Amino acid sequence: MPADLRPFADHLLAWYDRHARVLPWRVSPQDRARGIRPAPYRVWLSEIMLQQTTVAAVKAYFAKFTARWPHVADLAAAPQPAVLGEWAGLGYYARARNLHACAIRVSEEFGGAFPQTAAALRTLPGIGDYTSAAIAAIAFDEPAAVVDGNVERVVTRLFSIETPLPQARKDIRLRTAELTPQERPGDFAQAMMDLGATICTPKRPSCMVCPVRPMCRASAEGRAEDFPVKKPKAAVPERKGAAFVATRPADGAVWLRRRDAPGMLQGMSEPPGTGWHAKADGATGANAAPFAADWRFCGTVAHSFTHFRLELEVYRAELAGDPPAEGWWCPPEARGAEALPTLMQKVLVRAEASPPEPAATPKRRLNR
DNA sequence: CATACGTGGCT
DNA sequence: TAGCCAAGTAT
């Protein structure tokens, strides 16, 4: 490390010693100094959950997962639907599928012990550049360059990097590697993320109380908020479709199926529905039902995904017997364990909140 | 390098 | 409110 960068890590770590956030998956810098190490399983699990996800949202899920599956072998032994069921609501469901696959590989190929280098961790499903470096640094003291969105923000401000993201990534990684100390690399990584989360925030950063302000070029120039520079995003298109909620009068069960096709919400549960088409394609309606029934329109559900906005028409019908389709009845008491993404939770609420009679707009039944 | 991939909170 | 943002990865 260049001599003029050493004070950065020292100042940051001194600040971290006093201001580290207390988090369920974290070992405090004081305990860490006493030789206490975080369990790699807990570090890994928290890092996967925290990908593009807020600390506040993760806490409850981390508690549920560690209570139900205390060790990686427990998770590896679980059926995938159970894992998806616990993950439901957290989003980015490929993470849950990869989490399970990773647990199985660690159990089968590594005897239940996570590999200890970033390079080896990087080969596991769901573990990329950031997560491999974070686990290696936090759990195994490897001085890896840990670069997440917080670090990108901190580093682009430190050096007033004008190159827009993602073009600037390589430069940011090299700068982070130079800043990272040989000692306490895990605390350093967590300190950078805490700094980004609490002081060096995207908007209205608290430069006046920042422990590294003397070393920050953007702050000196009074333009911290100008970084990182980002490439403008494309507008999100709108799509529409329909969902059909069949209920069983005897116990209020709803008919669900599994989304098997690769793509959105793969592996998750849903009431049967149409594909999601460009809004301009028009007509959905009860005619699109997967099987004939007395479908009643219940209103629409709007939901925003990262790359498109969706408007779903919701229909409901009571069924005497089983529908001629793949799926299963989910009684009310089993609802909580279902792998229902938030969108589908909204659909069920919409269907069940709608009055039973009469049909809002009588739609012709032209279904097969 | 660009795009697909969820969700909830905040401004 | 519409947009932005949060401890990214896979392809």
Side-chain angles (χ1 to χ4, degrees), chain A residues 94-314:
Chain A
R95 292 186 295 172
R97 300 193 300 270
N98 286 329
L99 183 86
H100 190 228
C102 184
I104 290 171
R105 286 200 36 194
V106 168
S107 294
E108 293 184 351
E109 292 178 28
F110 296 92
F114 280 86
Q116 305 196 359
T117 66
L121 288 160
R122 181 70 178 77
T123 68
L124 294 169
I127 299 183
D129 290 335
Y130 161 75
T131 305
S132 58
I135 298 172
I138 296 169
F140 302 117
D141 292 317
E142 179 179 327
V146 179
V147 183
D148 73 331
N150 288 303
V151 176
E152 286 177 350
R153 188 166 58 253
V154 170
V155 170
T156 54
R157 287 173 178 175
L158 277 176
F159 300 103
S160 286
I161 295 174
E162 308 278 0
T163 312
L165 290 172
Q167 204 183 327
R169 292 246 157 86
K170 183 183 175 73
D171 186 26
I172 294 169
R173 183 167 48 76
L174 293 174
R175 304 269 198 173
T176 305
E178 287 189 331
L179 292 170
T180 302
Q182 295 299 120
E183 307 294 320
R184 305 182 63 189
D187 280 349
F188 178 81
Q190 293 174 97
M192 287 286 273
M193 293 188 275
D194 277 16
L195 187 73
T198 63
I199 304 284
C200 196
T201 49
K203 289 165 194 159
R204 300 168 53 82
S206 305
C207 295
M208 298 312 285
V209 296
C210 178
V212 295
R213 179 166 65 102
M215 286 158 272
C216 180
R217 180 169 163 185
S219 176
E221 295 167 342
R223 40 188 302 248
E225 210 164 334
D226 293 350
F227 301 96
V229 179
K230 293 190 178 181
K231 221 187 67 173
K233 309 180 177 177
V236 298
E238 304 216 342
R239 297 186 197 174
K240 63 188 297 186
F244 298 88
V245 180
T247 62
R248 186 167 62 183
D251 60 352
V254 297
W255 184 257
L256 299 179
R257 67 181 183 186
R258 179 180 161 103
R259 292 178 65 93
D260 279 319
M264 294 285 301
L265 311 176
Q266 184 188 350
M268 304 297 286
S269 307
E270 66 172 3
T274 66
W276 303 336
H277 312 101
K279 199 156 191 173
D281 288 358
T284 314
N287 299 341
F291 45 85
D294 184 20
W295 296 110
R296 308 291 177 93
F297 181 62
C298 300
T300 64
V301 162
H303 193 77
S304 283
F305 293 106
T306 307
H307 52 300
F308 64 93
R309 172 188 301 280
L310 179 67
E311 190 175 286
L312 230 41
E313 295 173 354
V314 178

